Amino acid sequence: MRLAGSYLQVSNLVFRNGYTPGDAVVAFRESSKAVARHSRVTGLVIDDYTNPDASDQDYWVSLYGSNNRLDHSQLRGKTNAGPTVVVVRDATQGLDNQHRIDHNWFGPRPALGVNGGETLRVGTSDTSLSDSNSTVENNWFEGCDGETEIISNKSGGNTYRGNVFYRSAGALTLRHGNGNRVIDNVFLGDDKTGTGGVRIINADQTVSNNYFERLAGSSNRSALAVMDAQADPPLSGYAPVVNATINRNTFVDVAKISFGVGHDEAKGIVVAASNSRFSANLIVNRTSRNPPNAASSLAGIDFSGNVQSPAASTVFPGGVEGRGVSLQQAASGLWVAAPALPAVGADPALAMTAREATGVDWYPKVGEVALSRTRNGVDR
């Protein structure tokens, strides 16, 4: 399906038992010069509509133009190369996209085994220094195991808000682009191998008021991964983390919080984060785990007002208080400190977007648990 023009709406379509003969199942354009603006696709279902040739790349939804919306849709089961959803950017159609991607259910996507298995990619490296100003909010990412980057952010000015990442083996990765915000999201790993949180690269990134629980990943898939960089990187390289704000997040029983990720003298990835802040975060581990680690200097990060339980890691240079913290489950099902710790950790009132509020109510969500129990009709 292709749509081009302004103020169009397409609702309640199902694609299954086939695959696209072109580069996209749904494209917000008719040609390179005819794109959609202020248009909406809602109630879209794409279910196992995958090219049997795993190396043949396509996308399930391609957003072009500006001010478009993809919402209340559900997409599951992509097994061939290519991100599930892409925001395609170029100077001809305009780089200030202002798209909204919300209340979608992104169901299980198995590991591709190579790069190119993202569930969502916003931009590409060649235009990454410009702002897309798009918003990705209130979506569920369930069993999205396609590759290390569940979301690959490759543009600036984007907001990732109120999303739930459930048993997804990867991370929300701020790969390129500056001035992005990751706020009010919930990451639930259930100790599944490879489950991660947020990876930070580039300048002026904000990671605030997020909740991370039982994430088993390390390195690029740590609950928090702050990368080292190249001194003079190409657009496709690793730009330094500068002026990052990491505050008021809660980490419960996570495997790793990693600084200096990717540090490699031979590859010139040696520039540590600078002029950055790690403040008022709460780290609680009720297991033998002691998650913080650092492969390079933390001198460029100001640590202040953080609490780690039961004791502060010696990795931190200061600004982290070690003390016993008891947890209780809030009405949302998330763990909060009891008694409350004012101004430390994610807001106790942080509400998790409900799974039933995403996708559609007239088509089943065959999710992570169901797929892990039954495969090819055999109960396991």
Side-chain angles (χ1 to χ4, degrees):
M1 186 191 76
R2 296 175 180 266
L3 65 155
S6 298
Y7 301 98
L8 308 174
Q9 179 166 318
V10 178
S11 306
N12 302 335
L13 294 181
V14 178
F15 291 86
R16 64 183 179 191
N17 300 330
Y19 62 96
T20 176
D23 62 354
V25 180
V26 174
F28 283 71
R29 71 166 184 175
E30 192 277 324
S31 67
S32 60
K33 295 182 179 180
V35 299
R37 303 187 190 278
H38 300 279
S39 294
R40 179 185 184 190
V41 172
T42 185
L44 171 71
V45 174
I46 308 180
D47 184 7
D48 277 336
Y49 201 73
T50 194
N51 192 319
D53 183 350
S55 63
D56 195 354
Q57 175 173 293
D58 60 40
Y59 313 119
W60 279 7
V61 179
S62 298
L63 285 99
Y64 293 83
S66 63
N67 300 96
N68 295 316
R69 184 183 182 191
L70 172 69
D71 69 284
H72 293 89
S73 297
Q74 52 193 67
L75 297 81
R76 64 168 293 280
K78 193 175 193 294
T79 59
N80 67 313
T84 307
V85 175
V86 290
V87 173
V88 184
R89 310 177 65 240
D90 59 60
T92 300
Q93 62 172 317
L95 296 167
D96 185 11
N97 310 114
Q98 300 186 51
H99 297 311
R100 184 183 179 196
I101 301 169
D102 67 286
H103 293 91
N104 302 290
W105 181 76
F106 296 102
R109 176 171 184 174
L112 183 62
V114 294
N115 191 35
E118 306 98 323
T119 295
L120 171 63
R121 190 186 72 208
V122 183
T124 51
S125 58
D126 55 333
T127 57
S128 60
L129 296 183
S130 59
D131 290 349
S132 176
N133 293 318
S134 292
T135 299
V136 178
E137 60 184 352
N138 302 117
N139 302 284
W140 260 71
F141 295 84
E142 183 169 334
C144 294
D145 304 342
E147 64 146 272
T148 299
E149 300 178 11
I150 303 168
I151 294 177
S152 183
N153 180 88
K154 294 185 175 180
S155 50
N158 300 311
T159 298
Y160 300 93
R161 175 174 53 220
N163 302 289
V164 177
F165 297 81
Y166 176 66
R167 289 179 57 87
S168 290
L172 192 171
T173 302
L174 302 177
R175 182 64 183 87
H176 299 302
N178 304 315
N180 299 287
R181 300 192 306 156
V182 180
I183 56 176
D184 308 340
N185 301 283
V186 172
F187 297 79
L188 303 175
D190 199 27
D191 292 321
K192 176 180 170 180
T193 300
T195 49
V198 178
R199 181 158 60 120
I200 301 175
I201 311 166
N202 296 90
D204 303 320
Q205 316 286 32
T206 297
V207 178
S208 181
N209 201 47
N210 301 285
Y211 178 91
F212 306 86
E213 180 186 322
R214 293 174 61 189
L215 302 171
S218 59
S219 188
N220 288 346
R221 303 186 189 207
S222 299
L224 176 74
V226 179
M227 285 205 65
D228 272 9
Q230 299 157 286
D232 187 22
L235 284 174
S236 60
Y238 291 93
V241 175
V242 180
N243 196 35
T245 298
I246 307 163
N247 77 309
R248 292 295 306 267
N249 301 289
T250 293
F251 302 87
V252 176
D253 297 334
V254 301
K256 289 298 176 186
I257 296 172
S258 303
F259 300 90
V261 173
H263 185 90
D264 190 323
E265 299 278 349
K267 295 181 179 179
I269 303 176
V270 296
V271 180
S274 64
N275 193 36
S276 296
R277 293 153 295 285
F278 185 91
S279 60
N281 298 287
L282 175 63
I283 306 167
V284 179
N285 271 281
R286 298 166 294 182
T287 68
S288 59
R289 292 169 172 170
N290 187 18
N293 63 14
S296 59
S297 172
L298 299 180
I301 304 175
D302 177 58
F303 292 85
S304 63
N306 303 285
V307 172
Q308 184 177 359
S309 176
S313 170
T314 56
V315 168
F316 294 125
V320 181
E321 177 188 355
R323 67 158 103 163
V325 174
S326 297
L327 298 177
Q328 68 179 18
Q329 278 189 303
S332 64
L334 306 181
W335 293 101
V336 297
L341 294 175
V344 177
D347 186 342
L350 177 64
M352 183 168 57
T353 297
R355 187 176 187 261
E356 57 270 22
T358 64
V360 300
D361 58 10
W362 43 263
Y363 194 98
K365 294 180 176 71
V366 181
E368 167 77 350
V369 174
L371 282 185
S372 66
R373 288 180 179 167
T374 305
R375 192 169 302 157
N376 298 328
V378 178
D379 189 36
R380 301 197 174 196

